[in-house]
Amino acid sequence: MPSKPSAIGLVAAIVSIILWLILNFFNPYSNQASNDTTFITLFMLVFPALVAIFSYYRSKTIFMLIAFIWSLPLSLYLLMTPGIFLLFGITSFTYLISYILMRKSTGRIE
């Protein structure tokens, strides 16, 4: 049974995927999408979210850490932008918080 701390990461992953859909297909700040941008953001934002979802279902803490590290570079960039897409930075750091709480709940961090 997945733990409550991993559920925090699951919610962050779902929010991240929804934000990615908005960024690429319903962007209020731009009316054009580039294939390169779509691919890069898919690789840097959606794939880590899928890893976080996998971490939730398998209760593997290391995958939540991998999701955080993988999404961090682009999420930090988007965190400094005005508008709704700064939430990517928050979702990335939520992966880290989920990882720490998952480790703490298993008794590995004191």
Side-chain angles (χ1 to χ4, degrees):
M1 173 109 185
S3 64
K4 286 183 183 179
S6 64
I8 296 168
L10 175 67
V11 170
I14 292 168
V15 168
S16 190
I17 292 170
I18 292 168
L19 283 170
W20 179 82
L21 289 170
I22 294 169
L23 174 69
N24 285 287
F25 302 109
F26 307 104
N27 193 336
Y29 307 110
S30 174
N31 55 358
Q32 58 182 340
S34 165
N35 287 339
D36 293 338
T37 304
T38 302
F39 177 73
I40 291 168
T41 58
L42 176 76
F43 184 75
M44 295 298 293
L45 299 171
V46 175
F47 287 173
L50 295 175
V51 170
I53 291 170
F54 179 78
S55 175
Y56 169 77
Y57 285 110
R58 294 294 185 170
S59 297
K60 301 280 188 181
T61 58
I62 191 68
F63 290 114
M64 199 62 75
L65 181 62
I66 290 169
F68 166 69
I69 293 169
W70 189 351
S71 68
L72 186 62
L74 188 55
S75 295
L76 282 177
Y77 171 76
L78 291 169
L79 186 64
M80 294 182 266
T81 61
I84 189 173
F85 301 119
L86 64 83
L87 293 175
F88 280 115
I90 295 169
T91 60
S92 180
F93 282 104
T94 304
Y95 299 150
L96 178 63
I97 292 167
S98 179
Y99 166 75
I100 292 169
L101 292 174
M102 287 170 71
R103 292 285 303 240
K104 190 170 181 110
S105 72
T106 60
R108 295 184 182 166
I109 295 178
E110 298 185 16

